[in-house]
Amino acid sequence: MDLAARLEALALRAEQDVRTVATLERLEELRVAYLGRKGELAELLKGLATATAEERPRLGALANEMKQRIEASFASADQALRTAASASQLAGEKEDVTEPGMRPPQGHLHLVSEAIREISAIFEKIGFTRTRHPEVDWDHFAFEALNMPKDHPARDEWETFFVDAPVSETHGKMVLTPHTSNGQVREMLRGELPIRMINIAKTYRRQSDATHVPMFHQFEGLFVDKQVSIAHLRGILDHFFQAFFGPTRRSRLRPFHFRFTEPSFEIDISCGICDGTGLVDGAKCRVCKRGWLELGGAGMVHPNVLKAGGIDPDVYSGFAFGWGVERTYMMKEGIKVDDIRILYKNDLRFLQQF
Ligand code: FA5
């Protein structure tokens, strides 16, 4: 057979072989066998060297034509195999809309936010209105108007952060509020009586241990009307204790001294960690140490505070209380949190338990 006939036979055979190929890998093997540097076509083309000068241009053109035919058949087989592969992959991935769906994990509000909602709802039910007073405020509202003159030693207990801001001639320095009691006089100055306020806000003190964090929340109740007495205070506190802690826990009022209430009390709850015994597994309870945990202070609003709020103490009286939200939450039935700082560690293993 001469070179021209052998070239045509090679192209024909290549086209037939390519038609039977089922995988891309096999196609590549064939491509190397026909068109590779040491393939059949390269082998035939060596014959060109021995062709006569007249024959060489015709054979060269024919060799090119055959090479293009073989390449074209490989290209179209490659395209067909790729299309078939992706079609079968898509068929395998077809979505079954009747399959049960996967539920994305569902989060919940932070425990402190949940406690704030619950506390607000309990007081709103008995006619208190939730207010928001500033969390960064003048010394005047945080201390002075609360019957705590400048340099009074009682201020030390609040371990206050002062803000580096211009000092006001009338209201003094700016502070990160160490308690929500700054809302008392601010609420009175709104001039609407009677007052039934529940002010819940962030508060700050330079403290950190198992029962103290530097940023915490307080809820401040203020009730001002004619003929308000300690009996009303006790009634409101009992209502809150029943609603928030349930019927089994005990509370007590302990005489205390605050400059802005007279008389004043601290309110304790029997500890939920040691069930009021002061002992856990024979050792002192790390949260309360004595069976009772202080939740906050309360008392009858001092006449000087009513005056600072523009209210006549001979006509009106009132009571106020201020409690820590985190401490109150820690004492809830079934919540066995024995270190307040864990509430702010953002550890999902802890938070997901609730
Ligand atoms: C006060 O802050 C008074 N303003 C409360 C008050 C209001 C008394 C109205 C009378 C009338 P005290 O410093 O005791 O009081 O703080 C109240 C409560 O805030 C504490 O019992 C505790 O529950 C919470 N608390 C105080 N400091 C921290 C802290 N660093 N971390 C977490 N909770 C705290």
Side-chain angles (χ1 to χ4, degrees):
M1 218 191 292
D2 67 5
L3 185 56
R6 287 165 67 196
L7 278 169
E8 288 200 26
L10 179 75
L12 199 63
R13 184 155 50 81
E15 283 167 342
Q16 281 167 351
D17 280 354
V18 161
R19 251 179 251 133
T20 65
V21 168
T23 67
L24 283 164
E25 291 73 33
R26 176 69 193 133
L27 189 69
E28 179 58 15
E29 280 168 20
L30 269 188
R31 199 189 59 75
V32 172
Y34 280 107
L35 298 171
R37 260 194 312 130
K38 292 181 183 159
E40 291 198 46
L41 182 65
E43 221 28 65
L44 276 188
L45 291 183
K46 283 183 190 158
L48 273 181
T50 56
T52 60
E54 300 87 66
E55 270 180 338
R56 211 173 287 149
R58 186 179 65 83
L59 285 174
L62 182 70
N64 248 344
E65 194 190 321
M66 292 307 111
K67 187 179 176 209
Q68 280 167 12
R69 254 175 66 183
I70 299 170
E71 282 174 346
S73 73
F74 273 99
S76 80
D78 183 274
Q79 181 67 39
L81 285 172
R82 282 181 199 280
T83 309
S86 87
S88 88
Q89 192 189 354
L90 278 181
E93 283 174 3
K94 209 186 263 169
E95 222 167 278
D96 178 357
V97 290
T98 62
E99 248 183 37
M102 288 212 321
R103 269 187 199 287
Q106 204 173 11
H108 58 77
L109 286 177
H110 189 273
L111 305 178
V112 174
S113 303
E114 282 180 355
I116 288 174
R117 287 194 172 193
E118 192 176 344
I119 293 164
S120 310
I122 292 172
F123 283 105
E124 277 163 4
K125 246 188 208 161
I126 51 170
F128 281 71
T129 302
R130 166 115 195 247
T131 60
R132 287 294 291 268
H133 288 295
E135 294 172 346
V136 183
D137 206 351
W138 302 109
D139 173 296
H140 174 78
F141 292 107
F143 294 115
E144 191 120 13
L146 294 173
N147 202 28
M148 279 188 271
K150 275 194 191 67
D151 304 323
H152 195 283
R155 290 180 171 216
D156 295 350
E157 286 165 30
W158 274 268
E159 303 194 43
T160 311
F161 291 107
F162 288 88
V163 177
D164 194 4
V167 177
S168 152
E169 260 179 44
T170 50
H171 290 71
K173 292 181 182 169
M174 271 265 169
V175 301
L176 296 185
T177 50
H179 56 174
T180 41
S181 299
N182 65 315
Q184 289 189 21
V185 168
R186 281 191 170 274
E187 187 68 16
M188 292 177 198
L189 289 174
R190 290 178 61 226
E192 282 171 33
L193 285 162
I195 294 171
R196 286 190 201 92
M197 166 193 94
I198 190 85
N199 174 35
I200 309 185
K202 289 187 200 74
T203 43
Y204 306 86
R205 295 185 197 181
R206 204 167 166 275
Q207 300 167 336
S208 176
D209 59 37
T211 52
H212 295 87
V213 270
M215 189 284 297
F216 57 105
H217 295 77
Q218 283 191 343
F219 57 106
E220 183 93 6
L222 177 68
F223 192 118
V224 180
D225 204 343
K226 291 177 180 156
Q227 295 178 327
V228 178
S229 74
I230 293 181
H232 295 117
L233 168 62
R234 192 69 229 226
I236 296 288
L237 295 181
D238 281 348
H239 164 78
F240 178 75
F241 269 72
Q242 293 280 318
F244 196 82
F245 299 111
T248 58
R249 305 285 285 287
R250 288 162 296 139
S251 70
R252 70 176 184 191
L253 296 188
R254 216 168 4 92
F256 196 71
H257 177 71
F258 288 108
R259 291 277 305 176
F260 36 94
T261 44
E262 179 58 36
S264 301
F265 310 98
E266 282 204 317
I267 298 149
D268 296 342
I269 182 165
S270 58
C271 178
I273 304 291
C274 63
D275 293 326
T277 60
L279 294 171
V280 176
D281 299 332
K284 233 185 205 177
C285 175
R286 96 180 255 246
V287 171
C288 70
K289 302 184 181 82
R290 56 188 190 283
W292 295 92
L293 189 78
E294 172 204 320
L295 289 185
M300 301 306 292
V301 181
H302 195 287
N304 287 351
V305 177
L306 290 170
K307 277 188 218 157
I311 294 174
D312 184 350
D314 292 329
V315 182
Y316 286 93
S317 53
F319 63 75
F321 54 87
W323 295 5
V325 171
E326 290 81 356
R327 285 261 194 106
T328 305
Y329 178 77
M330 280 167 78
M331 286 297 111
K332 206 172 167 58
E333 212 51 45
I335 306 286
K336 299 272 180 191
V337 174
D338 67 357
D339 191 324
I340 193 169
R341 291 167 293 193
I342 197 161
L343 290 171
Y344 291 114
K345 287 226 164 104
N346 283 342
D347 186 336
L348 280 181
R349 287 168 306 177
F350 166 70
L351 294 170
Q352 278 167 346
Q353 295 172 48
F354 298 92

